[in-house]
Amino acid sequence: MSEGIKVVSILGEDYSIKAPDGEDNTLLKAVTMLKASLATTKQKYPTLIGDKLLVLAALNLCAEQIEMQQRHQQELDRYQEQVSATVDVISKAIGQP
């Protein structure tokens, strides 16, 4: 097997995946996250199998990612407002309009 290629098993299927240099750990973490999502989804919907289970788990992960991006953007906006308010206070304190 070539260096950088990992074989991962998901839902009983083996996949040979080549990770970019230095990204092996990220790939393994992603596989672990997907397997955890599959297990959680399987607990909630025990009758789902195969592709339907995989698609629902992937959609759940995507929804979590979107929610995190929205929270991150809200935090960035809040910090930007705080920085702007601080700059205004400093500008007034040193007499700049």
Side-chain angles (χ1 to χ4, degrees), residues 10 18 94:
I10 299 170
K18 182 172 177 19
I94 60 174

Side-chain angles (χ1 to χ4, degrees), residues 11-67:
L11 294 177
E13 293 288 327
D14 288 341
Y15 299 89
S16 296
I17 301 173
K18 182 172 177 19
D21 289 340
E23 295 295 322
D24 289 352
N25 193 39
T26 301
L27 172 61
L28 295 177
K29 285 181 179 181
V31 169
T32 300
M33 182 183 286
L34 178 57
K35 286 182 176 184
S37 181
L38 285 165
T40 300
T41 304
K42 185 68 174 172
Q43 285 179 339
K44 290 180 184 176
Y45 306 97
T47 59
L48 287 181
I49 58 171
D51 289 347
K52 291 184 182 202
L53 176 62
L54 188 59
V55 168
L56 187 56
L59 285 173
N60 287 336
L61 287 171
C62 290
E64 289 175 18
Q65 178 67 26
I66 291 167
E67 289 171 6

